Amino acid sequence: MPLISQRVELARNGANDKVICRMASGWAVMGDVQFLPGYCLLLPDPVVPSLNDLDADARAIYLLDMARLGDAVLQATGALRMNYEILGNSEPELHCHIFPRYATEPEEKRKMPVWFYDWKTATPYTEEAHGDLRHSIARLLQASSRV
């Protein structure tokens, strides 16, 4: 089973420890690594190959959820700005990377795509280190859904 499908299946079964919350279009989850604290992904449920495989209504809901998740991460982290990336080249199933970008990043990296960071040596997500941030993002998403 492809990676995104595996992660969605784990989320459905309550077995994905990185789940922030269920959203209308899928699952908000913390990234496996946290070289930029607050790095998240939006995984669609059901899983589809790409954004283009969603009908107009589902596409609008997914993109709105993406922006809502970005708003929550921005508020929870105090980041300078947010970057959103939907690629699908390595994992050919729809998923959006949501990266907070910080003024404190090294100058040579701050203006470059996050893919220039060393992902292999990045700080892995742990509940002990990042759980409070995950819960903060979840609370902000819950509050924004009532507005």
Side-chain angles (χ1 to χ4, degrees):
M1 179 183 298
L3 181 62
I4 304 305
S5 291
Q6 288 174 8
R7 298 295 174 94
V8 168
E9 188 65 28
L10 289 170
R12 286 177 186 157
N13 295 326
N16 184 333
D17 66 341
K18 295 172 190 72
V19 167
I20 298 167
C21 67
R22 178 72 160 99
M23 299 185 77
S25 67
W27 300 92
V29 299
M30 298 296 287
D32 289 349
V33 294
Q34 292 291 303
F35 56 91
L36 294 168
Y39 161 47
C40 299
L41 295 96
L42 180 59
L43 310 179
D45 191 355
V47 176
V48 294
S50 74
L51 187 64
N52 305 94
D53 292 295
L54 296 174
D55 66 31
D57 290 338
R59 188 179 300 183
I61 292 167
Y62 185 83
L63 293 172
L64 179 59
D65 281 351
M66 180 187 76
R68 285 185 57 235
L69 180 53
D71 289 342
V73 172
L74 186 63
Q75 188 174 349
T77 63
L80 180 64
R81 65 177 297 113
M82 298 301 299
N83 288 175
Y84 304 86
E85 296 195 31
I86 298 174
L87 302 169
N89 299 323
S90 297
E91 299 296 334
E93 295 177 304
L94 177 61
H95 60 288
C96 180
H97 299 269
I98 299 167
F99 298 106
R101 301 305 300 261
Y102 297 93
T104 56
E105 290 179 64
E107 179 69 24
E108 70 276 5
K109 291 200 166 90
R110 188 168 11 108
K111 296 181 181 178
M112 303 295 286
V114 297
W115 309 105
F116 286 87
Y117 277 90
D118 184 357
W119 286 57
K120 291 184 175 98
T121 62
T123 303
Y125 174 88
T126 65
E127 188 64 18
E128 298 74 29
H130 307 102
D132 288 345
L133 180 56
R134 182 175 67 85
H135 290 291
S136 178
I137 295 166
R139 282 190 299 275
L140 289 163
L141 284 168
Q142 184 178 22
S144 73
S145 70
R146 289 188 235 126
V147 176

